[in-house]
Amino acid sequence: KVHTAILRGAPADVLLTESRTAELVCLGSSGIGAVARRLVGSTATTVAEEAACPVAIIRHREPTSTRANRWIAVAVKASTDDEQVVLAAMREARLRHLPILAIGLWQNEFGFTPYDELDRLMQSWRQRFPDVHVHPVTTRSDLVKFLVEEDEPVAMVVVGSDEAARVAQLVGPHSHPILGHPECSVLVVRS
């Protein structure tokens, strides 16, 4: 069910207030021209960081873009808190008919979690979503650095609320990912 309203006030403040009772706040690209579409503005960044509900920042995709080899990227850590993040990523992948790039980012006392452990964690998700292809990878870097260095064609990055402050780094104007991922949307999951 969709309700519409015209509200007065600073956009970020109004959206933050609405987020207290919303299931999801969804923001699109704004501005005109190719450069403006590539920037995530301060409203989107503020709402992603401070909203009380999940936030989706949906970026513009050029008509010539193809869906082939595009991923829904999700950071997977050794934490039960990540279950909702992975679940949201799997749902988005199913909805968009795209594969999951499950990026193992965590450490234990012996170093980074090996690929086999990440693959084992993803097995239950593969069983729950047999129609979604899951490709696990591990990295010694963080999510932003991985996306820049690997230059994977990512349609959407799904992150938990602990990563919300990094939304601007994921697709914003002050970092490298904008060059490789100008069409990358972001979903910030809050439980």
Side-chain angles (χ1 to χ4, degrees):
K1 191 172 185 180
V2 177
H3 296 277
T4 60
I6 299 174
L7 305 173
R8 293 187 183 266
D13 294 339
V14 170
L15 291 170
L16 289 173
T17 299
E18 291 298 310
S19 78
R20 294 181 196 139
T21 58
E23 292 290 324
L24 172 74
V25 172
C26 185
L27 299 122
S29 297
S30 63
I32 57 172
V35 173
R37 280 195 303 266
R38 291 174 182 243
L39 304 179
V40 170
S42 60
T43 298
T45 301
T46 299
V47 172
E49 292 175 359
E50 299 176 23
C53 67
V55 175
I57 301 171
I58 307 301
R59 303 292 296 279
H60 175 75
R61 188 165 76 185
E62 297 296 328
T64 57
S65 295
T66 74
R67 290 169 45 158
N69 298 322
R70 293 179 60 86
W71 299 94
I72 300 293
V74 60
V76 181
K77 302 173 191 169
S79 165
T80 55
D81 296 340
D82 288 331
E83 186 169 335
Q84 292 302 315
V85 176
V86 175
L87 178 60
M90 296 297 279
R91 288 179 178 155
E92 287 296 323
R94 176 180 277 167
L95 177 70
R96 297 165 186 267
H97 305 287
L98 293 174
I100 289 282
L101 184 63
I103 307 165
L105 299 175
W106 67 94
Q107 288 183 311
N108 59 30
E109 65 261 13
F110 301 111
F112 281 79
T113 300
Y115 174 86
D116 290 342
E117 186 175 340
L118 176 62
D119 192 48
R120 182 186 56 74
L121 287 170
M122 297 312 297
Q123 281 298 9
S124 67
W125 293 102
R126 286 184 181 120
Q127 290 172 358
R128 288 176 68 180
F129 294 86
D131 55 326
V132 176
H133 172 73
V134 178
H135 179 71
V137 296
T138 57
T139 182
R140 294 187 181 272
S141 61
D142 65 13
L143 180 62
V144 173
K145 191 172 180 184
F146 175 85
L147 291 173
V148 172
E149 290 175 354
E150 298 300 319
D151 197 33
E152 292 290 342
V154 176
M156 175 178 274
V157 176
V158 181
V159 297
S161 57
D162 59 325
E163 295 283 340
R166 303 202 58 213
V167 167
Q169 282 187 298
L170 290 170
V171 292
H174 304 295
S175 64
H176 296 288
I178 189 170
L179 302 175
H181 304 284
E183 302 167 3
C184 178
S185 296
V186 176
L187 176 60
V188 178
V189 177
R190 289 183 170 84
S191 33

